[in-house]
Amino acid sequence: SPDLEMKLFVMGSSLELSVLSAKGEFVKAVEHLMALEEGLEQFGDRASTVRRAELALQAAYVSFGAGEYDRALRWCNRLLNEKSIEAHTELHALGRMLNLVVLVELGKEELLAYLVRNTQRALKQHGGPFCMELVLLEHAQALAKPGTSKARKDVWQNLLQELGAAAKDPREASVMDQIDLLSWARAKAEERDFAELVREQWSAPAKAAASKSI
């Protein structure tokens, strides 16, 4: 039936992108985004706002991981422009956070300044589900600015420490299941490739198990 076909598309697409992003195979995941676009064109009006927004978040994240920041930004905008997305507070916050991360990578200082002010004002009035968003907002403009290698390294180390402290709360740690902010900050602090670090972390348990069996 058309309804079952839609559900299979949503579940299959989500699982596919989730597995590839967890393994750090972002470039491979991006290859599936054209099919995702076509599926959303075909089934999008039958899928719920949450389902569409979740797929947009995953598409934005794999694009980000692959270094395709403009594409990631388009998917973030798609998520944030979903009708009534504000009602789904956690998903909306994840979209805002990933949007900030992408803008940092693009060095959009002026746009970041505007978004940071507006978002901080809104969170003061209504609150937000994640402390990590407040940490990102506090550091976003400094992260986007050019500077000496040491100065930038210090900024990234500070971000990493504050995100790590927040992640001790299980609710905050759940953010990493969707967008791995800790690995991103660590990669920047250590001047490493984000996707490479994610792949390394994915393979670490298997390597540890293999070494124990020897």
Side-chain angles (χ1 to χ4, degrees):
S1 68
D3 186 55
L4 178 59
E5 195 176 5
M6 179 273 292
K7 289 179 180 177
L8 289 173
F9 158 72
V10 169
M11 292 172 61
S13 299
S14 180
L15 181 61
E16 191 171 55
L17 294 179
S18 179
V19 170
L20 289 172
S21 62
K23 295 169 69 174
E25 299 292 346
F26 297 109
V27 173
K28 189 178 292 185
V30 164
E31 295 173 3
H32 298 274
L33 294 187
M34 185 175 292
L36 179 65
E37 288 269 20
E38 292 172 354
L40 286 171
E41 183 70 25
Q42 182 179 355
F43 302 114
D45 58 342
R46 279 181 272 159
S48 68
T49 296
V50 169
R51 294 301 185 195
R52 292 196 304 268
E54 286 174 341
L55 287 172
L57 180 69
Q58 289 180 291
Y61 182 56
V62 299
S63 300
F64 161 75
E68 296 193 20
Y69 303 124
D70 288 322
R71 178 182 244 174
L73 193 58
R74 288 195 296 273
W75 280 104
C76 283
N77 288 335
R78 186 167 182 163
L79 184 163
L80 296 172
N81 289 327
E82 278 284 353
K83 186 177 180 181
S84 302
I85 189 62
E86 295 86 356
H88 308 284
T89 54
E90 293 191 5
L91 186 53
H92 190 216
L94 287 167
R96 291 195 306 261
M97 284 190 276
L98 186 54
N99 190 54
L100 280 176
V101 167
V102 173
L103 290 174
V104 166
E105 290 287 3
L106 289 169
K108 302 282 190 181
E109 293 181 56
E110 291 185 10
L111 182 54
L112 274 169
Y114 171 78
L115 285 176
V116 166
R117 284 196 306 271
N118 284 359
T119 307
Q120 286 177 328
R121 189 180 304 120
L123 290 177
K124 281 181 181 178
Q125 292 177 343
H126 307 293
F130 302 114
C131 290
M132 283 192 177
E133 185 172 14
L134 295 174
V135 173
L136 271 180
L137 287 165
E138 182 181 345
H139 292 281
Q141 289 172 261
L143 296 172
K145 290 178 180 177
T148 65
S149 178
K150 183 182 183 308
R152 288 189 59 72
K153 201 166 192 177
D154 289 344
V155 174
W156 285 107
Q157 282 288 358
N158 289 338
L159 176 67
L160 178 60
Q161 289 173 8
E162 291 187 35
L163 289 175
K168 291 177 182 178
D169 182 331
R171 180 182 174 84
E172 298 288 329
S174 69
V175 172
M176 302 306 130
D177 295 333
Q178 303 292 324
I179 50 175
D180 194 346
L181 298 176
L182 277 174
S183 292
W184 172 64
R186 181 170 290 111
K188 289 293 187 178
E190 297 176 1
E191 298 182 343
R192 297 185 57 189
D193 180 73
F194 170 66
E196 180 185 348
L197 181 59
V198 175
R199 287 194 295 271
E200 183 181 292
Q201 291 173 164
W202 171 264
S203 61
K207 288 181 179 178
S211 64
K212 286 182 181 179
S213 64
I214 295 174

